[in-house]
């Protein structure tokens, strides 16, 4: 009886050991597969927007302006770069991305554009503790590479409203638009054209708003 019990015990130990080795091997294989998958993923090239400089904006008043972050539809509220391959169609570039969500990126460049136009002491963002006389509210209508019969074109369109902070009334409103042909729909060329288009829009908008405060 004791020999039979000892034999059963030995067989049980061997079975458990084999099972443990099998589990350990499976875990190692899974870890290796995950490691290889991580090594195989390549981050997308990341592009930035630049603030226009080397221009001036008029305006003789002493009012202070707060620039609010732009609003945008969900399709534009992302770090993906939008493409319009046809009427009513939306896609994104597969080989490029913005360095931040588009509204946040354009907000920063808008403030820098005002500062570069010699408005450094009169422009701020919400939360800076400034008692603003005016508020600039913007909405990104279009910020995309549009595929046309003549080739890809970077189209940027932003609507702007200048609001009197005390009265809450809209004092002025305008839509700014620029279109710049792109050399191709590749990431580097597409983002370069979009950057040029948004610089043109920002120069127009800064000059328009500065004349009113």
């Amino acid at each position: 009886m004791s020999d039979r019990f000892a034999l059963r015990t030995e067989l049980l130990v061997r079975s458990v050991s084999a099972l443990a080795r099998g589990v350990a091997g499976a875990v190692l294989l899974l870890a290796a597969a995950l490691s290889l998958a991580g090594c195989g993923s390549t981050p997308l090239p990341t592009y930035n927007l630049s603030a226009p400089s080397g221009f001036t904006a008029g305006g003789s008043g002493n009012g202070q302006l707060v620039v609010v972050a732009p609003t945008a539809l969900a399709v534009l509220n992302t770090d993906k770069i939008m493409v319009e391959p046809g009427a009513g169609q939306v896609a994104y570039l597969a080989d490029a991305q913005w360095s931040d969500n588009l509204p946040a990126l354009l907000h920063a460049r808008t403030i820098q554009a005002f500062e570069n136009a010699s408005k450094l002491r009169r422009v701020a963002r919400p939360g800076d503790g400034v008692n603003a006389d005016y508020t600039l509210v913007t909405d990104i209508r279009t910020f995309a590479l549009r595929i046309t019969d003549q080739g890809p074109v970077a189209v940027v369109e932003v609507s702007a409203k200048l609001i009197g902070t005390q009265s809450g009334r809209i004092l002025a409103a305008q839509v700014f638009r620029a279109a710049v042909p792109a050399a191709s729909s590749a990431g580097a060329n597409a983002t370069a054209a979009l950057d040029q288009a948004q610089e043109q829009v920002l120069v127009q908008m800064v000059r328009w708003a500065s004349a009113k405060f």
Side-chain angles (χ1 to χ4, degrees), residues 84-86 146-153:
E84 296 177 352
R146 186 167 294 169
I147 308 303
T148 71
D149 293 338
Q150 291 73 39
V153 179

Side-chain angles (χ1 to χ4, degrees), residues 98 125 128 139 152 206:
W98 295 123
R125 66 179 67 211
D128 284 348
D139 179 71
V206 168

Side-chain angles (χ1 to χ4, degrees), residues 64-67 107 111 115 120 122-132:
Q64 297 189 102
L65 176 72
V66 161
V67 180
H107 186 211
I111 293 174
E115 294 172 346
L120 179 61
R122 295 168 56 192
V123 178
R125 66 179 67 211
D128 284 348
V130 173
N131 292 321

Side-chain angles (χ1 to χ4, degrees), residues 5-193:
F5 178 76
L7 179 59
R8 288 180 177 176
T9 303
E10 183 179 355
L11 291 174
L12 179 60
V13 170
R14 289 181 180 178
S15 298
V16 172
S17 298
L19 179 61
R21 286 194 299 272
V23 172
V27 170
L28 288 174
L29 287 173
L30 178 60
L34 292 174
S35 177
L36 288 174
C39 293
S41 60
T42 303
L44 287 178
T46 300
Y47 296 88
N48 210 339
L49 293 175
S50 54
S53 59
F55 74 103
T56 58
S60 57
N62 295 316
Q64 297 189 102
L65 176 72
V66 161
V67 180
V68 178
T71 58
L73 294 176
V75 71
L76 287 169
N77 193 6
T78 176
D79 62 355
K80 297 178 181 179
I81 300 172
M82 184 173 161
V83 179
E84 296 177 352
Q89 298 178 348
V90 173
Y92 296 103
L93 287 183
D95 60 346
Q97 65 182 357
W98 295 123
S99 60
D100 201 341
N101 279 8
L102 178 61
L105 195 55
L106 190 60
H107 186 211
R109 299 300 172 260
T110 301
I111 293 174
Q112 290 173 7
F114 275 103
E115 294 172 346
N116 291 345
S118 303
K119 302 293 181 182
L120 179 61
R121 298 182 180 179
R122 295 168 56 192
V123 178
R125 66 179 67 211
D128 284 348
V130 173
N131 292 321
D133 302 292
Y134 306 95
T135 300
L136 181 66
V137 177
T138 58
D139 179 71
I140 305 173
R141 290 187 172 188
T142 303
F143 206 107
L145 186 71
R146 186 167 294 169
I147 308 303
T148 71
D149 293 338
Q150 291 73 39
V153 179
V155 179
V156 174
E157 186 174 284
V158 177
S159 69
K161 294 181 177 67
L162 193 65
I163 301 173
T165 304
Q166 296 299 322
S167 65
R169 296 176 61 86
I170 298 175
L171 306 178
Q174 191 162 323
V175 176
F176 303 93
R177 187 180 187 277
V180 175
S184 74
S185 58
N189 292 326
T191 53

